[in-house]
Amino acid sequence: MRAIGHFIGGKEVKGTSGRTADVYQPMTGDVQAKVALASKDEVRAAVENAKAAQPAWAATNPQRRVRVLMKFLELVARDNEEMAELLAREHGKTIPDARGDIMRGVEVVEFALGIPHLMKGEYTEGAGPGIDLYSMRQPLGIVAGITPFNFPAMIPMWKFAPAIACGNAFILKPSERDPGVPMKLAALMLEAGLPPGILNVVNGDKEAVDAILDDRDIAAVGFVGSSSIAQYIYERSAATGKRCQCFGGAKNHLIVMPDADMNQAVDALMGAAYGAAGERCMAVSVAVPVGKTTADRLMEKLIPRVESLKIGPSTDPNADYGPLVTKEALQRVRNYVDVGIKEGATLAVDGRDFKMQGYENGFYMGGCLFDNVTKDMRIYKEEIFGPVLSVVRAHDFDEALSLPSDHEYGNGVAIFTRDGDSAREFAAKVNVGMVGINVPIPVPVAYFSFGGWKRSGFGDLNQYGTDSVRFYTKTKTVTSRWPSGVKEGASFTMPTS
Ligand code: NAD
């Protein structure tokens, strides 16, 4: 059986803790590898390697640092198909979707190629008599990223590409459920010319995470995962004075206004709710038709579409989506459907008992569709993270606006309408971090930035875009005066301009 260790100091090393976790192949249900779970000492070894390598990397000029990323992009393109297949086999998403996972990470690496420009400081001549000021951005030193299972290529790249481009060393703790692609990315960075020790991967669970959080040599932590863990990471990393940003779970609504193009809205809902088996933090899990007629028209079109979803193994290029990531995830999602029925929602399409012929032990689930879901139900309040769409009927625009605004999560939201006025008002007023207007999954492009509000994001600054440069650097400001500008005599009052 394949054994996955860690990537420390520029090479793959075996785990020494004696603890491992199973890595499944969700489409068959088989265990395909054992991943090592790092001990505190193994995390420390990664930190020591990072510490030794980082000063020289920070002193390497930014254009040379970026050339490594350029070479890395070539290598990712070379090995793209191999990586997409590995990703699909460990995660369960389809291979075309796995290509998208890689590509959205690549786009952030491309953004990071602009670091020589993005890291430039500011300069003011003559801020006082003979006084000039300038600021510079310096790397933080050693930074860490703790990432979830659902985008094993994209989210590690969102984290390490800007951090490393800024001159930091990086410690990645990917999800133990699909560690193959993060390990491959680290190997490609090395092949691209990154000095050993600048990108380390420690696989593991809570023990490795806690070791990262408590390590005083690590200056910043970026986390993506569920909200309860995000809050825990945020609080614990503050105890050692770390800079921290933690992105959490979601309950993304899609509002369908009476004037929306209904076919476009239904197409959008199908892809956004059921793509990747609903295991996306920007998946739409709540549809909000406005008015009874809109709701009835929407349900009439949605039901046959959900019933005819094509579910298949990850290697089937024609499948709409594949299996869920683990048996536990499948059980948890099925339980939520049971809860919804008990709470009184109408289960219009029931996919709980779907069985994939030839793959009977895989973690498959058919699409489920609930109607008449209300605000007080658990299936509305909690993140399900599976192929389950809930329809909440709103009477009017104000009610539709209040639903995502009052929800405890605030990651993404979308409105489908032809009316510019309501779209504009919705975008301005809704209490959510990322908004789509006739766009169902509004993940901003790489040169903007990504971040949810409320319990979807703890800490400051967003991921990627110029926010990531701020997050991974500290600003130093220099006030200078040369002898010709100095008047004789000591001054005891506070200098002002
Ligand atoms: P998760 O919270 O279970 O795990 C995320 C990371 O935290 C993993 O690396 C895991 O090993 C670690 N971890 C798990 N339990 C821990 C504990 N008790 N102590 C310390 N560390 C722990 O999340 P997941 O199931 O891998 O991913 C799905 C979740 O991630 C969903 O809630 C989804 O919405 C969210 N997500 C959010 C975004 C975003 O940008 N907001 C993006 C993708 C996924």
Side-chain angles (χ1 to χ4, degrees), residues 146-151 155 158 173-177 204-206 209-210 213 223-227 229-230 232-233 247-250 280-281 383 385 411 450 452 456 463:
I146 299 159
T147 54
F149 81 85
N150 68 327
F151 283 102
I155 296 180
W158 283 8
K173 206 305 281 170
S175 171
E176 61 276 41
R177 288 181 233 166
D205 56 4
K206 183 170 164 39
V209 171
D210 287 349
L213 300 181
F223 170 85
V224 181
S226 53
S227 288
I229 312 289
Y232 165 75
I233 304 244
F247 300 94
R280 292 182 182 137
C281 67
E383 183 181 47
F385 224 54
N411 214 36
F450 182 107
S456 297
Q463 312 187 76

Side-chain angles (χ1 to χ4, degrees), residues 108 111-112 114-115 117-119 137 162 166 245 445-450 461-473:
V108 170
F111 166 79
I115 280 295
H117 173 70
L118 293 162
M119 273 185 82
R137 292 198 167 278
C166 286
Q245 54 175 203
V445 293
Y447 41 94
F448 279 74
S449 70
F450 182 107
L461 295 170
N462 282 351
Q463 312 187 76
Y464 63 77
T466 47
D467 267 17
S468 64
V469 182
R470 290 191 196 102
F471 184 73
Y472 289 120
T473 58

Side-chain angles (χ1 to χ4, degrees), residues 192-335:
L194 191 73
I198 296 300
L199 176 58
N200 302 279
V201 181
V202 282
N203 284 306
D205 56 4
K206 183 170 164 39
E207 186 173 334
V209 171
D210 287 349
I212 289 172
L213 300 181
D214 296 344
D215 197 306
R216 289 184 183 273
D217 282 328
I218 298 177
V221 171
F223 170 85
V224 181
S226 53
S227 288
S228 54
I229 312 289
Q231 184 166 3
Y232 165 75
I233 304 244
Y234 182 58
E235 290 169 1
R236 188 153 173 168
S237 37
T240 49
K242 286 183 185 27
R243 190 177 282 191
C244 190
Q245 54 175 203
C246 298
F247 300 94
K251 198 80 184 175
N252 307 312
H253 297 55
L254 188 151
I255 317 298
V256 185
M257 293 295 285
D259 67 343
D261 180 317
M262 192 53 84
N263 289 332
Q264 278 185 13
V266 169
D267 281 345
L269 274 170
M270 291 304 298
Y274 299 101
E279 290 176 325
R280 292 182 182 137
C281 67
M282 289 292 269
V284 170
S285 49
V286 182
V288 184
V290 175
K292 184 173 181 325
T293 318
T294 315
D296 292 345
R297 281 170 56 220
L298 178 68
M299 286 308 292
E300 195 188 320
K301 284 187 184 277
L302 264 180
I303 290 172
R305 293 285 296 272
V306 179
E307 283 171 341
S308 57
L309 274 165
K310 189 169 178 330
I311 298 141
S314 316
T315 45
D316 176 354
N318 299 315
D320 294 327
Y321 68 85
L324 281 97
V325 66
T326 56
K327 201 172 194 164
E328 291 71 41
L330 175 62
Q331 200 47 51
R332 200 179 45 81
V333 178
R334 278 198 190 133
N335 287 347

